[in-house]
Amino acid sequence: MLQESKCTRWWKTTDKMGKKEKRIISLVSGVLLIILYITIFLFSEQDGETSGIVSFSLTKYGAGLWNKLTGGHLTQAMLEEMAVYFEHPLRKAAHFMEYAVMGILVYNVLYCRVAVRRKYLSAVLWVLLSAAADEWHQYFIPGRWASVADVMLDTAGGMTGAFLAAWGLRHAVKVRNRKEKNINKDA
């Protein structure tokens, strides 16, 4: 008799989920992934000046919010300085986070469609190619440039997201299996 894969067992232990439910999860992840791609494309399509203005205004808003939360003691000049200081790190953190979300979504789309040992590597490769394509696209936008460092940062975010997805699914399977064992012992 053929041994079931972890993937098959996962779906069987999640409330006897059938093909329809699997397709729904895959479809929802796919739709969210498409929305994320559109968002990334729209931000990448902005010229250098517009991108800088959007980034600075978001950072300035964050500095103002921080000021309100901490009692409002900072002057306007201090808020401007804070926004300038944090703009680059926050921009890079946003890159990391958007590609971490992409890693989670890609891993979820690939779950039960790719061999167990290849899921993580496939998700990371997918994110790497997406990051490279995004940087290649930015190369042709006035005031923007392509950066290998950004591709590496984005890929690190995707690796982190895929890892968290894999860990989360594994943890969920263990919890479900423990609950099933407890229910079977009680019966």
Side-chain angles (χ1 to χ4, degrees):
M1 188 167 171
L2 293 173
Q3 187 177 6
E4 292 180 307
S5 70
K6 284 184 179 181
C7 181
T8 306
R9 281 184 293 197
W10 158 254
W11 290 115
K12 283 186 176 180
T13 59
T14 54
D15 302 324
K16 300 190 183 235
M17 191 178 293
K19 287 183 181 181
K20 183 178 179 182
E21 288 83 4
K22 290 182 209 177
R23 286 183 187 145
I24 290 171
I25 289 172
S26 184
L27 180 66
V28 168
S29 295
V31 168
L32 291 173
L33 188 60
I34 290 168
I35 292 169
L36 181 61
Y37 273 118
I38 291 169
T39 303
I40 290 170
F41 177 81
L42 291 174
F43 277 112
S44 293
E45 187 68 17
Q46 296 174 339
D47 62 36
E49 186 178 340
T50 304
S51 177
I53 290 169
V54 169
S55 179
F56 183 75
S57 64
L58 287 173
T59 308
K60 190 174 176 183
Y61 174 77
L65 185 61
W66 173 257
N67 189 33
K68 286 179 185 175
L69 291 173
T70 58
H73 303 298
L74 300 176
T75 65
Q76 191 63 29
M78 293 169 92
L79 289 173
E80 294 275 336
E81 188 177 328
M82 182 184 269
V84 168
Y85 182 78
F86 284 109
E87 180 183 6
H88 184 73
L90 287 176
R91 226 177 147 124
K92 297 305 170 186
H95 264 266
F96 186 89
M97 293 303 296
E98 69 188 358
Y99 281 87
V101 170
M102 183 184 290
I104 291 168
L105 293 174
V106 169
Y107 190 89
N108 202 23
V109 166
L110 295 175
Y111 199 72
C112 294
R113 295 180 185 270
V114 176
V116 173
R117 293 186 176 128
R118 295 185 183 154
K119 275 191 292 257
Y120 181 77
L121 290 175
S122 297
V124 171
L125 181 61
W126 183 326
V127 171
L128 171 68
L129 293 173
S130 297
D134 180 44
E135 290 301 313
W136 181 73
H137 170 243
Q138 285 182 27
Y139 178 77
F140 298 101
I141 305 298
R144 305 288 295 266
W145 58 88
S147 168
V148 174
D150 278 353
V151 172
M152 291 174 17
L153 178 69
D154 297 344
T155 303
M159 289 171 69
T160 303
F163 173 79
L164 290 173
W167 179 83
L169 288 170
R170 233 181 232 139
H171 181 69
V173 169
K174 287 180 183 180
V175 168
R176 290 251 185 214
N177 288 340
R178 278 191 218 127
K179 285 182 180 179
E180 281 184 359
K181 285 180 185 178
N182 290 338
I183 289 171
N184 291 337
K185 284 181 184 177
D186 293 339

